[in-house]
Amino acid sequence: MNGKIITREDNNNVEEFLQKLIDSKKLPTHVKTVEDAFAIRQMGEELGFATMQSFHYIIPIQGKLSLSAKATGALLRKGGIQFQTLEDGVFVYDDGTTSEYKDPKKKPIDIRTKIRFVRGNMEEITSFSWKDAESMGLTGKDNWKKMPKFMLWARCLSAGANRIGADLLLGLYTVEELFDHMEEGSVVVNRNEEGEIIEIVEEKK
């Protein structure tokens, strides 16, 4: 038998270690209990993340584990998938032209992000636009109004990642995907300067 036998003492040591981390107040606030920490740590191990990395990359929302945008990008790179942003929230006009800046003489018909993914000899170019978000009922949400460019990029990244590297994500949704389908105001979050959710501050009942 090659596998290591996990003893009760091993489990107790892990629980003690996780409790010390929680008590230190140095973990994200969404890691509230030993059970939360254990689930995140275990999933992180399966994904190939170090323990402390897992607490920042894997975020539980209403009982479901989800991946931050950084975690998704890290998993793609670990799996040998290269990706490049071809269009980052560009304005699209009815004559087919695009621009990074809004043309005061034209009215844009859409806003679009496009990312190119390469895995070996496979290539996938994925786009996600404001019209796509509109058709999904997302554009009225506060995060889409305040951070449209980041939200388009995050959605484009997750769509492409699931097409070319679903095996690397282990079926996990991104934080933004779960957040978008929740009732407005049911979760309070912290974001970094880029607009990415990095911490669940509070889940309102």
Side-chain angles (χ1 to χ4, degrees):
M1 186 173 180
N2 296 324
K4 179 185 176 182
I5 298 175
I6 305 299
T7 66
R8 184 185 296 274
E9 183 179 359
D10 290 329
N11 283 331
N12 289 341
N13 289 339
V14 169
E15 289 182 12
E16 184 178 342
F17 166 69
L18 295 175
Q19 188 62 61
K20 284 182 178 178
L21 285 178
I22 294 169
D23 292 342
S24 74
K25 307 294 184 183
K26 294 180 180 178
L27 296 182
T29 58
H30 54 252
V31 188
K32 293 180 172 63
T33 66
V34 170
E35 289 75 18
D36 289 339
F38 188 82
I40 292 170
R41 177 178 177 271
Q42 289 298 108
M43 180 57 73
E45 280 190 3
E46 292 188 31
L47 292 168
F49 293 141
T51 296
M52 294 305 293
Q53 195 177 35
S54 299
F55 293 132
H56 293 277
Y57 275 4
I58 302 171
I59 301 176
I61 301 181
Q62 295 187 341
K64 295 182 180 180
L65 297 181
S66 62
L67 296 170
S68 69
K70 279 190 174 63
T72 302
L75 289 171
L76 293 180
R77 293 187 187 94
K78 283 164 67 73
I81 299 175
Q82 298 177 326
F83 58 96
Q84 176 188 12
T85 303
L86 303 178
E87 296 178 343
D88 193 6
V90 300
F91 293 98
V92 181
Y93 299 96
D94 57 7
D95 61 0
T97 60
T98 61
S99 174
E100 291 184 22
Y101 304 99
K102 193 171 183 178
D103 188 336
K105 298 179 182 179
K106 296 181 181 179
K107 183 177 180 180
I109 60 171
D110 206 354
I111 307 172
R112 185 175 66 208
T113 290
K114 188 181 291 185
I115 302 176
R116 175 176 176 260
F117 301 83
V118 178
R119 185 178 192 179
N121 60 0
M122 294 187 296
E123 180 177 315
E124 180 78 37
I125 294 179
T126 304
S127 65
F128 198 88
S129 71
W130 190 258
K131 284 186 177 179
D132 292 329
E134 208 167 39
S135 69
M136 297 169 68
L138 303 176
T139 54
K141 292 180 176 289
D142 195 50
N143 51 325
W144 280 87
K145 293 176 182 177
K146 291 181 178 178
M147 297 161 294
K149 191 172 181 178
F150 173 77
M151 295 308 299
L152 288 171
W153 185 84
R155 278 301 187 127
C156 190
L157 178 71
S158 62
N162 275 290
R163 287 183 181 179
I164 202 167
D167 55 310
L168 303 174
L169 308 181
L170 300 184
L172 295 182
Y173 289 102
T174 64
V175 178
E176 283 74 24
E177 285 176 305
L178 287 184
F179 188 67
D180 275 341
H181 289 91
M182 297 175 64
E183 184 180 344
E184 195 81 44
S186 60
V187 173
V188 179
V189 303
N190 274 340
R191 297 179 181 270
N192 61 19
E193 292 179 357
E194 297 172 341
E196 178 187 6
I197 294 175
I198 58 173
E199 187 176 43
I200 303 297
V201 179
E202 180 184 5
E203 292 191 19
K204 298 180 180 179
K205 305 299 183 181

